Amino acid sequence: MELIQNTPDLAAYLAADDAIDHEHPVVRRTVATLSADAPDAYAYAEAAFTFVRDAIPHSVDSGDPRVTWRASDVLETRTGICYAKSHALVALLRARGIPAALCYQKFEAVHGLIALKLPGRERWVRQDARGGEAGAGAQFRLDCEQLAFAVRPEFNEVDYPVLFAEPHPAVLQCLRDAVDRPRLAQLLPTAL
C-alpha cells in the first residue's frame, strides 16, 4: 500500500498542536529519559515505540475508565486507547525531530496507529504501539510491517493510506466528548 501525506509539507509532521503537545514538560522529560540510551534516531524511535507499547497500558486491556487524548496526559497518567497512545508516540518522535504521522485502519471501529520517516529513508513506515493482550504481536520493524492487527478485506476491513499531520477530527472529537471509557466505546468512529 502506498502511504499518502495529507499535506505535502514535511514540516507539518514535526509540528505541535493540542493533542501532539510535544513541547510540554512531561513529554520533554520522557524524551530526555529515552534519549539517554539511544545514540541515533533509529535507536530512539525503537525506544519510544517500545516505551509507549509496553509502559502505557491500553485502557481497554487494563480496565482503566479514564480517557486521555493529549500526548502529555497519556504519558503522565500512563493510560490511553490506541488513538491516545498514537498521539503520545508521535509527540515523542516529533520532539526528537523525527517526522511522524497519524494513520488509521477500519475494523468494527477505527483503529489508530502511526507512521514515521527516519533519516536516510525514502518511505514512511507504519508502526502500531497498541500493545497489551490484543496487540501483543506488534513489533518495531523497518523492513516490513508487524502491526497489532491485519485487515481482512473480505470483512470490509480497510487500511486507510492517508498520513495525517493532525489527529483526524472524528477521532479527536470522540476522545474529547467521552467522559469515561464506557462512553467512549459508544462514540468510537466506525469509518473515516
Side-chain angles (χ1 to χ4, degrees), residues 19-91:
I20 314 297
D21 57 344
H22 64 69
E23 296 170 354
H24 191 281
V26 72
V27 177
R28 292 298 182 173
R29 282 193 302 274
T30 306
V31 169
T33 300
L34 294 172
S35 294
D37 294 325
D40 59 30
Y42 292 83
Y44 175 80
E46 184 170 10
F49 168 86
T50 302
F51 173 78
V52 172
R53 184 194 63 195
D54 297 348
I56 301 172
H58 190 285
S59 58
V60 171
D61 296 339
S62 67
D64 194 320
R66 297 174 291 175
V67 176
T68 54
W69 59 273
R70 281 189 181 92
S72 58
D73 292 339
V74 174
L75 295 172
E76 191 162 14
T77 62
R78 299 285 176 99
T79 191
I81 67 165
C82 59
Y83 310 141
K85 289 179 62 137
S86 294
H87 298 172
L89 181 52
V90 165

Side-chain angles (χ1 to χ4, degrees), residues 2-3 69 80-81 92 102 113 121 127 146 169 174 189-190:
E2 182 181 345
L3 299 174
W69 59 273
I81 67 165
L92 292 172
L102 297 156
L113 54 154
R121 294 217 168 218
Q127 305 291 334
Q146 191 168 343
C174 80
T190 56

Side-chain angles (χ1 to χ4, degrees), residues 67-70 81 83-84 87 167 170-179 184 187-188:
V67 176
T68 54
W69 59 273
R70 281 189 181 92
I81 67 165
Y83 310 141
H87 298 172
V171 166
L172 197 53
Q173 191 65 46
C174 80
L175 290 171
R176 286 180 168 168
D177 289 351
V179 294
L184 178 62
L187 298 173
L188 292 173

Side-chain angles (χ1 to χ4, degrees), residues 25 27 36 40 47 57 66 78-79 96 101 107 114-115 139 149 156 158 160 166 169 179 181 188:
V27 177
D40 59 30
R66 297 174 291 175
R78 299 285 176 99
T79 191
R96 271 290 299 264
F107 298 100
I114 72 114
Q139 299 294 321
F149 309 108
N156 295 320
V158 176
Y160 292 112
E166 298 174 346
V179 294
R181 196 176 39 75
L188 292 173

